[in-house]
Amino acid sequence: MSSADYTALIRTRGPEISEAWRGRFTEAYPQAEMMLPPGDEMPPMLIRAALSVLEYSPAEVSDRLKALASDLRRTGFPADEYPKAVHLLIDAISSVSSFVADDHADARADLAALSEAAEIMRETASTLDYEGVPAATAAQVTSMEDHGEVQVVRLEAGSQVRYCPGQVIPVMSPSRPGEWISLVPALPSNAFGQLEFHVPGRVPVAPGQWLTLGAPRGGVRGDLDGPLLLIAADGGFAAAKALLFHYLEQEQPPEVHAVIGAVEPSELYDTAALDALAATQDWLELTQVVESRVGATLEQVVSGAGMWWGRAVIICASQKRAASIAASLHAAGADNVQVVAYDAPAGWF
C-alpha cells in the first residue's frame, strides 16, 4: 500500500483532516453548526466510516452505510448533499497532504470508493424520504420526577413513536443543539405517543420543552419466549421496565426473574410499578439486590448457582457495568447473554 493513499493519511493525520473537513463543511453549510456537536472536528463516527470504506469496500460495508444514513437523517442533512459532503472530505485530505489523487493509483481508487459510499448513503436517505419515514420526531415533556441522579421524564409525541423494547433512541434538547444523548424508553411503543425516559440529572430538561428523537437502534436479538433472567443496574432500569411491560402485553409471557441491583437503597427508584406487577403476575419474580446490605456485588449474586441455569440472560446497564456483569456470567458458564447498554456506541464502524 502506498504511503500516499487516503487510508494512510486518515490514520496518521486524522485530527487535522477532521478539523479541515469541518471547516469546509460549515463554510458550505452555515446551518451545520446547529447539527454538529461542539468542537473543531467532525463527529468521530464519520471518520471511522470513511476508514471502513477504504479498508474494505463500499459493497462490504453497505449495510452499515445504510444504517448510518438512516441515523443521520435526524440532523436534517439533505440526502442529495452526501456526494458534496464527501468531496469536501476529499478536499480536506488533499489540503493536509502533498500529493494529488490523479498522480497515485491507490488514491484514485480510494476517491472512487468514498464517492460510491456517498451514493449509497444518498440513495438510502432519499428512499426513506420518499417513503415518508420520519427523519425525527418531536415530543413534549409533560411531567418530571426528580430522583437525584436520575430524572424520570414523561413525554407525549401526539402519534406513535415506533421502536422495540430495549432499543436506544438518540435525543436532543433545544438547549443543547447538536448534542445527542442516548436513552432507552422505559415503556413499550404505544399508539398514544406516550414515552418515558430516565434522564441523567446533569442533562437539562424542563416541563413543556420539546425534545427531538432520532431513529431507534439496537435492542434485543431474537424472540425470547423461554425462561429469562433480566438484570438491571447502573442506568439500565428504564430498559428493564420497558421489557417487562412488553412481556405483560404478550398472550403468553415467558417466565422472568428480574433482578434490580443498586449499591445503596437510595439508588432504587420508581420500583412501585414493578412491585405491583410482580404481585399480580405469576410469570414474574422480582428481586432487589442492595450490595451494601447483602455484602456481595450484583455480579456475584447473578452468576451464582441456580440464578441463570436454563435461562437466557438480558443485562440492562451502562456499557462498563454490563461488561462486568456479562464477564462474571460467562466465567460461571452462561452462554446465552445479551446486553442492552444505553451508552454503547452504534458499532456500525
Side-chain angles (χ1 to χ4, degrees):
M1 182 178 290
S2 166
S3 62
D5 69 8
Y6 280 29
T7 310
L9 279 166
I10 293 177
R11 284 208 171 278
T12 57
R13 304 181 69 177
E16 293 176 75
I17 291 170
S18 184
E19 187 171 340
W21 187 17
R22 178 156 179 158
R24 284 163 171 74
F25 191 82
T26 53
E27 182 178 356
Y29 306 102
Q31 69 275 28
E33 288 293 358
M34 300 294 289
M35 304 180 198
L36 299 171
D40 298 324
E41 299 180 15
M42 294 294 272
M45 67 176 175
L46 299 180
I47 297 296
R48 290 196 296 269
L51 275 171
S52 293
V53 167
L54 298 175
E55 292 178 337
Y56 297 94
S57 73
E60 288 178 285
V61 297
S62 175
D63 288 344
R64 300 178 185 184
L65 290 168
K66 292 175 181 178
L68 179 58
S70 175
D71 181 54
L72 290 179
R73 293 177 71 235
R74 59 184 155 92
T75 67
F77 188 69
D80 289 341
E81 296 299 312
Y82 276 111
K84 180 178 178 179
V86 168
H87 277 286
L88 293 173
L89 168 60
I90 294 168
D91 290 343
I93 295 171
S94 299
S95 73
V96 300
S97 66
S98 59
F99 77 96
V100 179
D102 290 343
D103 298 333
H104 301 272
D106 287 341
R108 289 197 297 274
D110 287 346
L111 189 153
L114 290 170
S115 297
E116 184 180 342
E119 183 56 28
I120 290 173
M121 295 181 69
R122 185 205 64 76
E123 184 176 346
T124 299
S126 294
T127 299
L128 292 171
D129 291 343
Y130 179 79
E131 293 175 349
V133 177
T137 303
Q140 188 175 32
V141 177
T142 56
S143 68
M144 296 176 57
E145 295 175 10
D146 189 356
H147 294 275
E149 295 297 317
V150 175
Q151 303 170 86
V152 175
V153 179
R154 296 181 177 89
L155 309 93
E156 290 188 4
S159 59
Q160 185 165 13
V161 180
R162 298 189 180 278
Y163 55 86
C164 296
Q167 284 197 301
V168 175
I169 294 181
V171 179
M172 184 179 69
S173 165
S175 62
R176 293 187 177 178
E179 292 187 55
W180 297 82
I181 59 171
S182 296
L183 299 172
V184 180
L187 299 174
S189 176
N190 58 80
F192 306 103
Q194 297 169 331
L195 299 104
E196 178 181 305
F197 290 123
H198 295 186
V199 183
R202 67 183 182 278
V203 178
V205 180
Q209 195 175 53
W210 287 87
L211 304 182
T212 302
L213 317 180
R217 62 172 181 258
V220 176
R221 303 185 306 274
D223 295 324
L224 300 175
D225 52 8
L228 173 67
L229 175 62
L230 179 63
I231 304 165
D234 190 19
F237 183 75
K241 182 178 177 181
L243 285 164
L244 289 175
F245 278 93
H246 165 71
Y247 293 132
L248 177 64
E249 296 174 349
Q250 306 306 302
E251 185 175 343
Q252 293 184 316
E255 175 191 323
V256 180
H257 184 183
V259 180
I260 312 299
V263 176
E264 299 292 342
S266 60
E267 297 175 12
L268 292 173
Y269 68 94
D270 194 34
T271 58
L274 296 192
D275 290 336
L277 188 65
T280 59
Q281 303 297 317
D282 57 9
W283 55 268
L284 174 60
E285 177 184 358
L286 180 65
T287 301
Q288 296 180 6
V289 176
V290 179
E291 295 179 346
S292 62
R293 288 182 173 175
V294 302
T297 66
L298 181 62
E299 284 84 344
Q300 291 171 322
V301 172
V302 298
S303 61
M307 287 291 291
W308 53 270
W309 293 355
R311 296 176 181 270
V313 181
I314 300 176
I315 304 169
C316 304
S318 67
Q319 187 180 19
K320 182 177 180 181
R321 188 66 191 279
S324 174
I325 297 170
S328 296
L329 284 159
H330 288 143
D335 57 5
N336 189 2
V337 178
Q338 294 193 47
V339 166
V340 175
Y342 66 91
D343 59 346
W348 299 317
F349 299 99

PDB file of all heavy atoms in Angstrom, residues 266-300:
ATOM      1  N   SER A 266     -30.842   4.098  48.394  1.00  0.00           N
ATOM      2  CA  SER A 266     -31.269   5.354  47.777  1.00  0.00           C
ATOM      3  C   SER A 266     -31.201   5.311  46.256  1.00  0.00           C
ATOM      4  O   SER A 266     -31.833   6.135  45.578  1.00  0.00           O
ATOM      5  CB  SER A 266     -30.397   6.509  48.290  1.00  0.00           C
ATOM      6  OG  SER A 266     -29.030   6.281  47.978  1.00  0.00           O
ATOM      7  N   GLU A 267     -30.452   4.354  45.692  1.00  0.00           N
ATOM      8  CA  GLU A 267     -30.321   4.252  44.243  1.00  0.00           C
ATOM      9  C   GLU A 267     -31.488   3.510  43.603  1.00  0.00           C
ATOM     10  O   GLU A 267     -31.631   3.514  42.375  1.00  0.00           O
ATOM     11  CB  GLU A 267     -29.005   3.567  43.888  1.00  0.00           C
ATOM     12  CG  GLU A 267     -27.769   4.348  44.326  1.00  0.00           C
ATOM     13  CD  GLU A 267     -26.492   3.579  44.066  1.00  0.00           C
ATOM     14  OE1 GLU A 267     -26.534   2.563  43.348  1.00  0.00           O
ATOM     15  OE2 GLU A 267     -25.434   3.984  44.598  1.00  0.00           O
ATOM     16  N   LEU A 268     -32.311   2.869  44.415  1.00  0.00           N
ATOM     17  CA  LEU A 268     -33.505   2.222  43.896  1.00  0.00           C
ATOM     18  C   LEU A 268     -34.612   3.267  43.786  1.00  0.00           C
ATOM     19  O   LEU A 268     -34.907   3.973  44.749  1.00  0.00           O
ATOM     20  CB  LEU A 268     -33.950   1.091  44.827  1.00  0.00           C
ATOM     21  CG  LEU A 268     -33.028  -0.128  44.892  1.00  0.00           C
ATOM     22  CD1 LEU A 268     -33.502  -1.076  45.980  1.00  0.00           C
ATOM     23  CD2 LEU A 268     -32.981  -0.852  43.550  1.00  0.00           C
ATOM     24  N   TYR A 269     -35.215   3.385  42.629  1.00  0.00           N
ATOM     25  CA  TYR A 269     -36.231   4.404  42.416  1.00  0.00           C
ATOM     26  C   TYR A 269     -37.311   3.863  41.478  1.00  0.00           C
ATOM     27  O   TYR A 269     -37.077   2.926  40.718  1.00  0.00           O
ATOM     28  CB  TYR A 269     -35.621   5.678  41.825  1.00  0.00           C
ATOM     29  CG  TYR A 269     -35.120   5.497  40.400  1.00  0.00           C
ATOM     30  CD1 TYR A 269     -35.930   5.809  39.308  1.00  0.00           C
ATOM     31  CD2 TYR A 269     -33.855   4.965  40.141  1.00  0.00           C
ATOM     32  CE1 TYR A 269     -35.501   5.621  38.011  1.00  0.00           C
ATOM     33  CE2 TYR A 269     -33.411   4.769  38.843  1.00  0.00           C
ATOM     34  CZ  TYR A 269     -34.237   5.099  37.780  1.00  0.00           C
ATOM     35  OH  TYR A 269     -33.799   4.895  36.484  1.00  0.00           O
ATOM     36  N   ASP A 270     -38.491   4.449  41.559  1.00  0.00           N
ATOM     37  CA  ASP A 270     -39.580   4.129  40.621  1.00  0.00           C
ATOM     38  C   ASP A 270     -39.850   2.625  40.542  1.00  0.00           C
ATOM     39  O   ASP A 270     -40.114   2.084  39.470  1.00  0.00           O
ATOM     40  CB  ASP A 270     -39.234   4.689  39.239  1.00  0.00           C
ATOM     41  CG  ASP A 270     -40.429   4.706  38.297  1.00  0.00           C
ATOM     42  OD1 ASP A 270     -41.551   4.928  38.778  1.00  0.00           O
ATOM     43  OD2 ASP A 270     -40.238   4.494  37.085  1.00  0.00           O
ATOM     44  N   THR A 271     -39.783   1.947  41.683  1.00  0.00           N
ATOM     45  CA  THR A 271     -39.981   0.493  41.675  1.00  0.00           C
ATOM     46  C   THR A 271     -41.404   0.081  42.038  1.00  0.00           C
ATOM     47  O   THR A 271     -41.735  -1.101  41.969  1.00  0.00           O
ATOM     48  CB  THR A 271     -39.011  -0.184  42.657  1.00  0.00           C
ATOM     49  OG1 THR A 271     -39.223   0.359  43.971  1.00  0.00           O
ATOM     50  CG2 THR A 271     -37.565   0.046  42.235  1.00  0.00           C
ATOM     51  N   ALA A 272     -42.247   1.047  42.390  1.00  0.00           N
ATOM     52  CA  ALA A 272     -43.604   0.696  42.831  1.00  0.00           C
ATOM     53  C   ALA A 272     -44.377  -0.050  41.750  1.00  0.00           C
ATOM     54  O   ALA A 272     -45.090  -1.024  42.043  1.00  0.00           O
ATOM     55  CB  ALA A 272     -44.362   1.960  43.246  1.00  0.00           C
ATOM     56  N   ALA A 273     -44.230   0.390  40.492  1.00  0.00           N
ATOM     57  CA  ALA A 273     -44.966  -0.265  39.408  1.00  0.00           C
ATOM     58  C   ALA A 273     -44.514  -1.710  39.223  1.00  0.00           C
ATOM     59  O   ALA A 273     -45.334  -2.605  38.979  1.00  0.00           O
ATOM     60  CB  ALA A 273     -44.788   0.506  38.102  1.00  0.00           C
ATOM     61  N   LEU A 274     -43.220  -1.951  39.369  1.00  0.00           N
ATOM     62  CA  LEU A 274     -42.718  -3.317  39.216  1.00  0.00           C
ATOM     63  C   LEU A 274     -43.121  -4.183  40.403  1.00  0.00           C
ATOM     64  O   LEU A 274     -43.418  -5.378  40.237  1.00  0.00           O
ATOM     65  CB  LEU A 274     -41.196  -3.306  39.060  1.00  0.00           C
ATOM     66  CG  LEU A 274     -40.643  -2.614  37.811  1.00  0.00           C
ATOM     67  CD1 LEU A 274     -39.167  -2.951  37.643  1.00  0.00           C
ATOM     68  CD2 LEU A 274     -41.425  -3.012  36.563  1.00  0.00           C
ATOM     69  N   ASP A 275     -43.146  -3.602  41.602  1.00  0.00           N
ATOM     70  CA  ASP A 275     -43.610  -4.358  42.770  1.00  0.00           C
ATOM     71  C   ASP A 275     -45.062  -4.794  42.574  1.00  0.00           C
ATOM     72  O   ASP A 275     -45.421  -5.945  42.857  1.00  0.00           O
ATOM     73  CB  ASP A 275     -43.499  -3.489  44.033  1.00  0.00           C
ATOM     74  CG  ASP A 275     -42.065  -3.247  44.452  1.00  0.00           C
ATOM     75  OD1 ASP A 275     -41.203  -4.070  44.090  1.00  0.00           O
ATOM     76  OD2 ASP A 275     -41.802  -2.234  45.133  1.00  0.00           O
ATOM     77  N   ALA A 276     -45.876  -3.879  42.068  1.00  0.00           N
ATOM     78  CA  ALA A 276     -47.288  -4.199  41.835  1.00  0.00           C
ATOM     79  C   ALA A 276     -47.440  -5.242  40.735  1.00  0.00           C
ATOM     80  O   ALA A 276     -48.290  -6.148  40.825  1.00  0.00           O
ATOM     81  CB  ALA A 276     -48.054  -2.931  41.466  1.00  0.00           C
ATOM     82  N   LEU A 277     -46.611  -5.129  39.707  1.00  0.00           N
ATOM     83  CA  LEU A 277     -46.662  -6.090  38.608  1.00  0.00           C
ATOM     84  C   LEU A 277     -46.297  -7.482  39.091  1.00  0.00           C
ATOM     85  O   LEU A 277     -46.981  -8.464  38.778  1.00  0.00           O
ATOM     86  CB  LEU A 277     -45.694  -5.637  37.500  1.00  0.00           C
ATOM     87  CG  LEU A 277     -45.733  -6.411  36.180  1.00  0.00           C
ATOM     88  CD1 LEU A 277     -47.079  -6.224  35.496  1.00  0.00           C
ATOM     89  CD2 LEU A 277     -44.604  -5.945  35.262  1.00  0.00           C
ATOM     90  N   ALA A 278     -45.220  -7.571  39.870  1.00  0.00           N
ATOM     91  CA  ALA A 278     -44.786  -8.875  40.365  1.00  0.00           C
ATOM     92  C   ALA A 278     -45.819  -9.497  41.300  1.00  0.00           C
ATOM     93  O   ALA A 278     -45.958 -10.728  41.369  1.00  0.00           O
ATOM     94  CB  ALA A 278     -43.446  -8.731  41.090  1.00  0.00           C
ATOM     95  N   ALA A 279     -46.571  -8.651  42.003  1.00  0.00           N
ATOM     96  CA  ALA A 279     -47.562  -9.160  42.947  1.00  0.00           C
ATOM     97  C   ALA A 279     -48.774  -9.762  42.255  1.00  0.00           C
ATOM     98  O   ALA A 279     -49.512 -10.562  42.852  1.00  0.00           O
ATOM     99  CB  ALA A 279     -48.007  -8.034  43.882  1.00  0.00           C
ATOM    100  N   THR A 280     -48.990  -9.389  40.996  1.00  0.00           N
ATOM    101  CA  THR A 280     -50.195  -9.847  40.285  1.00  0.00           C
ATOM    102  C   THR A 280     -49.908 -10.787  39.122  1.00  0.00           C
ATOM    103  O   THR A 280     -50.842 -11.344  38.545  1.00  0.00           O
ATOM    104  CB  THR A 280     -50.983  -8.638  39.743  1.00  0.00           C
ATOM    105  OG1 THR A 280     -50.141  -7.885  38.855  1.00  0.00           O
ATOM    106  CG2 THR A 280     -51.444  -7.742  40.890  1.00  0.00           C
ATOM    107  N   GLN A 281     -48.631 -10.960  38.754  1.00  0.00           N
ATOM    108  CA  GLN A 281     -48.285 -11.777  37.588  1.00  0.00           C
ATOM    109  C   GLN A 281     -47.451 -12.977  38.020  1.00  0.00           C
ATOM    110  O   GLN A 281     -46.335 -12.815  38.532  1.00  0.00           O
ATOM    111  CB  GLN A 281     -47.505 -10.938  36.566  1.00  0.00           C
ATOM    112  CG  GLN A 281     -48.233  -9.688  36.097  1.00  0.00           C
ATOM    113  CD  GLN A 281     -49.523 -10.014  35.365  1.00  0.00           C
ATOM    114  OE1 GLN A 281     -49.575 -10.924  34.532  1.00  0.00           O
ATOM    115  NE2 GLN A 281     -50.581  -9.270  35.681  1.00  0.00           N
ATOM    116  N   ASP A 282     -47.976 -14.183  37.784  1.00  0.00           N
ATOM    117  CA  ASP A 282     -47.259 -15.367  38.253  1.00  0.00           C
ATOM    118  C   ASP A 282     -46.045 -15.703  37.390  1.00  0.00           C
ATOM    119  O   ASP A 282     -45.230 -16.537  37.776  1.00  0.00           O
ATOM    120  CB  ASP A 282     -48.205 -16.566  38.345  1.00  0.00           C
ATOM    121  CG  ASP A 282     -48.898 -16.888  37.025  1.00  0.00           C
ATOM    122  OD1 ASP A 282     -48.510 -16.291  35.986  1.00  0.00           O
ATOM    123  OD2 ASP A 282     -49.817 -17.725  37.021  1.00  0.00           O
ATOM    124  N   TRP A 283     -45.898 -15.058  36.224  1.00  0.00           N
ATOM    125  CA  TRP A 283     -44.739 -15.313  35.366  1.00  0.00           C
ATOM    126  C   TRP A 283     -43.526 -14.490  35.774  1.00  0.00           C
ATOM    127  O   TRP A 283     -42.416 -14.714  35.275  1.00  0.00           O
ATOM    128  CB  TRP A 283     -45.070 -15.022  33.907  1.00  0.00           C
ATOM    129  CG  TRP A 283     -45.599 -13.640  33.640  1.00  0.00           C
ATOM    130  CD1 TRP A 283     -46.914 -13.266  33.627  1.00  0.00           C
ATOM    131  CD2 TRP A 283     -44.849 -12.446  33.377  1.00  0.00           C
ATOM    132  NE1 TRP A 283     -47.030 -11.914  33.362  1.00  0.00           N
ATOM    133  CE2 TRP A 283     -45.784 -11.391  33.204  1.00  0.00           C
ATOM    134  CE3 TRP A 283     -43.493 -12.173  33.252  1.00  0.00           C
ATOM    135  CZ2 TRP A 283     -45.384 -10.080  32.923  1.00  0.00           C
ATOM    136  CZ3 TRP A 283     -43.096 -10.870  32.970  1.00  0.00           C
ATOM    137  CH2 TRP A 283     -44.028  -9.838  32.818  1.00  0.00           C
ATOM    138  N   LEU A 284     -43.718 -13.542  36.718  1.00  0.00           N
ATOM    139  CA  LEU A 284     -42.643 -12.621  37.085  1.00  0.00           C
ATOM    140  C   LEU A 284     -42.228 -12.793  38.541  1.00  0.00           C
ATOM    141  O   LEU A 284     -43.060 -12.733  39.449  1.00  0.00           O
ATOM    142  CB  LEU A 284     -43.099 -11.175  36.856  1.00  0.00           C
ATOM    143  CG  LEU A 284     -42.131 -10.072  37.319  1.00  0.00           C
ATOM    144  CD1 LEU A 284     -40.794 -10.181  36.597  1.00  0.00           C
ATOM    145  CD2 LEU A 284     -42.746  -8.692  37.099  1.00  0.00           C
ATOM    146  N   GLU A 285     -40.935 -12.995  38.733  1.00  0.00           N
ATOM    147  CA  GLU A 285     -40.323 -12.971  40.065  1.00  0.00           C
ATOM    148  C   GLU A 285     -39.381 -11.775  40.113  1.00  0.00           C
ATOM    149  O   GLU A 285     -38.563 -11.584  39.217  1.00  0.00           O
ATOM    150  CB  GLU A 285     -39.543 -14.258  40.329  1.00  0.00           C
ATOM    151  CG  GLU A 285     -38.828 -14.282  41.671  1.00  0.00           C
ATOM    152  CD  GLU A 285     -37.980 -15.524  41.864  1.00  0.00           C
ATOM    153  OE1 GLU A 285     -37.973 -16.387  40.963  1.00  0.00           O
ATOM    154  OE2 GLU A 285     -37.296 -15.613  42.901  1.00  0.00           O
ATOM    155  N   LEU A 286     -39.498 -10.955  41.153  1.00  0.00           N
ATOM    156  CA  LEU A 286     -38.709  -9.724  41.252  1.00  0.00           C
ATOM    157  C   LEU A 286     -37.825  -9.777  42.489  1.00  0.00           C
ATOM    158  O   LEU A 286     -38.296 -10.060  43.592  1.00  0.00           O
ATOM    159  CB  LEU A 286     -39.642  -8.512  41.327  1.00  0.00           C
ATOM    160  CG  LEU A 286     -38.994  -7.139  41.425  1.00  0.00           C
ATOM    161  CD1 LEU A 286     -38.206  -6.826  40.162  1.00  0.00           C
ATOM    162  CD2 LEU A 286     -40.060  -6.063  41.656  1.00  0.00           C
ATOM    163  N   THR A 287     -36.537  -9.499  42.278  1.00  0.00           N
ATOM    164  CA  THR A 287     -35.577  -9.463  43.382  1.00  0.00           C
ATOM    165  C   THR A 287     -34.816  -8.148  43.343  1.00  0.00           C
ATOM    166  O   THR A 287     -34.328  -7.746  42.281  1.00  0.00           O
ATOM    167  CB  THR A 287     -34.563 -10.620  43.284  1.00  0.00           C
ATOM    168  OG1 THR A 287     -35.267 -11.865  43.302  1.00  0.00           O
ATOM    169  CG2 THR A 287     -33.571 -10.570  44.442  1.00  0.00           C
ATOM    170  N   GLN A 288     -34.734  -7.472  44.468  1.00  0.00           N
ATOM    171  CA  GLN A 288     -33.937  -6.264  44.582  1.00  0.00           C
ATOM    172  C   GLN A 288     -32.669  -6.583  45.376  1.00  0.00           C
ATOM    173  O   GLN A 288     -32.747  -7.130  46.473  1.00  0.00           O
ATOM    174  CB  GLN A 288     -34.730  -5.146  45.273  1.00  0.00           C
ATOM    175  CG  GLN A 288     -35.946  -4.719  44.477  1.00  0.00           C
ATOM    176  CD  GLN A 288     -36.731  -3.602  45.155  1.00  0.00           C
ATOM    177  OE1 GLN A 288     -36.311  -3.063  46.164  1.00  0.00           O
ATOM    178  NE2 GLN A 288     -37.872  -3.249  44.586  1.00  0.00           N
ATOM    179  N   VAL A 289     -31.529  -6.263  44.785  1.00  0.00           N
ATOM    180  CA  VAL A 289     -30.237  -6.555  45.406  1.00  0.00           C
ATOM    181  C   VAL A 289     -29.557  -5.244  45.757  1.00  0.00           C
ATOM    182  O   VAL A 289     -29.176  -4.481  44.871  1.00  0.00           O
ATOM    183  CB  VAL A 289     -29.335  -7.381  44.460  1.00  0.00           C
ATOM    184  CG1 VAL A 289     -27.958  -7.584  45.087  1.00  0.00           C
ATOM    185  CG2 VAL A 289     -29.978  -8.719  44.127  1.00  0.00           C
ATOM    186  N   VAL A 290     -29.424  -4.962  47.052  1.00  0.00           N
ATOM    187  CA  VAL A 290     -28.695  -3.788  47.523  1.00  0.00           C
ATOM    188  C   VAL A 290     -27.350  -4.292  48.046  1.00  0.00           C
ATOM    189  O   VAL A 290     -27.283  -4.970  49.073  1.00  0.00           O
ATOM    190  CB  VAL A 290     -29.469  -3.042  48.622  1.00  0.00           C
ATOM    191  CG1 VAL A 290     -28.663  -1.835  49.114  1.00  0.00           C
ATOM    192  CG2 VAL A 290     -30.825  -2.595  48.094  1.00  0.00           C
ATOM    193  N   GLU A 291     -26.297  -3.983  47.305  1.00  0.00           N
ATOM    194  CA  GLU A 291     -24.992  -4.582  47.583  1.00  0.00           C
ATOM    195  C   GLU A 291     -24.491  -4.289  48.993  1.00  0.00           C
ATOM    196  O   GLU A 291     -23.883  -5.147  49.645  1.00  0.00           O
ATOM    197  CB  GLU A 291     -23.980  -4.092  46.542  1.00  0.00           C
ATOM    198  CG  GLU A 291     -24.304  -4.563  45.130  1.00  0.00           C
ATOM    199  CD  GLU A 291     -23.320  -4.051  44.093  1.00  0.00           C
ATOM    200  OE1 GLU A 291     -22.539  -3.122  44.415  1.00  0.00           O
ATOM    201  OE2 GLU A 291     -23.322  -4.570  42.968  1.00  0.00           O
ATOM    202  N   SER A 292     -24.732  -3.074  49.486  1.00  0.00           N
ATOM    203  CA  SER A 292     -24.246  -2.726  50.819  1.00  0.00           C
ATOM    204  C   SER A 292     -24.947  -3.523  51.915  1.00  0.00           C
ATOM    205  O   SER A 292     -24.421  -3.671  53.022  1.00  0.00           O
ATOM    206  CB  SER A 292     -24.444  -1.218  51.071  1.00  0.00           C
ATOM    207  OG  SER A 292     -25.822  -0.870  51.033  1.00  0.00           O
ATOM    208  N   ARG A 293     -26.120  -4.051  51.607  1.00  0.00           N
ATOM    209  CA  ARG A 293     -26.865  -4.833  52.599  1.00  0.00           C
ATOM    210  C   ARG A 293     -26.559  -6.322  52.524  1.00  0.00           C
ATOM    211  O   ARG A 293     -26.498  -7.011  53.533  1.00  0.00           O
ATOM    212  CB  ARG A 293     -28.365  -4.599  52.416  1.00  0.00           C
ATOM    213  CG  ARG A 293     -28.831  -3.219  52.853  1.00  0.00           C
ATOM    214  CD  ARG A 293     -30.340  -3.086  52.691  1.00  0.00           C
ATOM    215  NE  ARG A 293     -30.838  -1.842  53.257  1.00  0.00           N
ATOM    216  CZ  ARG A 293     -32.097  -1.444  53.168  1.00  0.00           C
ATOM    217  NH1 ARG A 293     -32.987  -2.194  52.529  1.00  0.00           N
ATOM    218  NH2 ARG A 293     -32.466  -0.284  53.718  1.00  0.00           N
ATOM    219  N   VAL A 294     -26.405  -6.828  51.303  1.00  0.00           N
ATOM    220  CA  VAL A 294     -26.182  -8.275  51.163  1.00  0.00           C
ATOM    221  C   VAL A 294     -24.716  -8.651  51.285  1.00  0.00           C
ATOM    222  O   VAL A 294     -24.383  -9.838  51.403  1.00  0.00           O
ATOM    223  CB  VAL A 294     -26.740  -8.785  49.818  1.00  0.00           C
ATOM    224  CG1 VAL A 294     -28.221  -8.488  49.712  1.00  0.00           C
ATOM    225  CG2 VAL A 294     -25.987  -8.187  48.636  1.00  0.00           C
ATOM    226  N   GLY A 295     -23.816  -7.652  51.237  1.00  0.00           N
ATOM    227  CA  GLY A 295     -22.389  -7.937  51.385  1.00  0.00           C
ATOM    228  C   GLY A 295     -21.795  -8.646  50.189  1.00  0.00           C
ATOM    229  O   GLY A 295     -20.794  -9.366  50.321  1.00  0.00           O
ATOM    230  N   ALA A 296     -22.383  -8.461  49.035  1.00  0.00           N
ATOM    231  CA  ALA A 296     -21.864  -9.075  47.809  1.00  0.00           C
ATOM    232  C   ALA A 296     -22.199  -8.153  46.646  1.00  0.00           C
ATOM    233  O   ALA A 296     -23.123  -7.342  46.715  1.00  0.00           O
ATOM    234  CB  ALA A 296     -22.489 -10.451  47.589  1.00  0.00           C
ATOM    235  N   THR A 297     -21.438  -8.290  45.578  1.00  0.00           N
ATOM    236  CA  THR A 297     -21.722  -7.490  44.384  1.00  0.00           C
ATOM    237  C   THR A 297     -22.850  -8.127  43.591  1.00  0.00           C
ATOM    238  O   THR A 297     -23.138  -9.331  43.730  1.00  0.00           O
ATOM    239  CB  THR A 297     -20.486  -7.371  43.492  1.00  0.00           C
ATOM    240  OG1 THR A 297     -20.158  -8.680  42.980  1.00  0.00           O
ATOM    241  CG2 THR A 297     -19.294  -6.807  44.262  1.00  0.00           C
ATOM    242  N   LEU A 298     -23.476  -7.332  42.756  1.00  0.00           N
ATOM    243  CA  LEU A 298     -24.512  -7.860  41.874  1.00  0.00           C
ATOM    244  C   LEU A 298     -23.928  -8.939  40.971  1.00  0.00           C
ATOM    245  O   LEU A 298     -24.597  -9.940  40.676  1.00  0.00           O
ATOM    246  CB  LEU A 298     -25.109  -6.724  41.038  1.00  0.00           C
ATOM    247  CG  LEU A 298     -26.240  -7.098  40.078  1.00  0.00           C
ATOM    248  CD1 LEU A 298     -27.447  -7.641  40.841  1.00  0.00           C
ATOM    249  CD2 LEU A 298     -26.651  -5.887  39.242  1.00  0.00           C
ATOM    250  N   GLU A 299     -22.689  -8.741  40.529  1.00  0.00           N
ATOM    251  CA  GLU A 299     -22.021  -9.747  39.689  1.00  0.00           C
ATOM    252  C   GLU A 299     -21.973 -11.101  40.392  1.00  0.00           C
ATOM    253  O   GLU A 299     -22.246 -12.152  39.776  1.00  0.00           O
ATOM    254  CB  GLU A 299     -20.597  -9.297  39.350  1.00  0.00           C
ATOM    255  CG  GLU A 299     -20.504  -8.216  38.292  1.00  0.00           C
ATOM    256  CD  GLU A 299     -20.675  -6.806  38.831  1.00  0.00           C
ATOM    257  OE1 GLU A 299     -21.169  -6.659  39.977  1.00  0.00           O
ATOM    258  OE2 GLU A 299     -20.327  -5.859  38.128  1.00  0.00           O
ATOM    259  N   GLN A 300     -21.642 -11.092  41.679  1.00  0.00           N
ATOM    260  CA  GLN A 300     -21.568 -12.354  42.432  1.00  0.00           C
ATOM    261  C   GLN A 300     -22.938 -12.988  42.596  1.00  0.00           C
ATOM    262  O   GLN A 300     -23.083 -14.218  42.507  1.00  0.00           O
ATOM    263  CB  GLN A 300     -20.938 -12.082  43.805  1.00  0.00           C
ATOM    264  CG  GLN A 300     -19.469 -11.708  43.748  1.00  0.00           C
ATOM    265  CD  GLN A 300     -18.934 -11.229  45.085  1.00  0.00           C
ATOM    266  OE1 GLN A 300     -19.622 -10.531  45.826  1.00  0.00           O
ATOM    267  NE2 GLN A 300     -17.702 -11.608  45.414  1.00  0.00           N
TER     268      GLN A 300
END
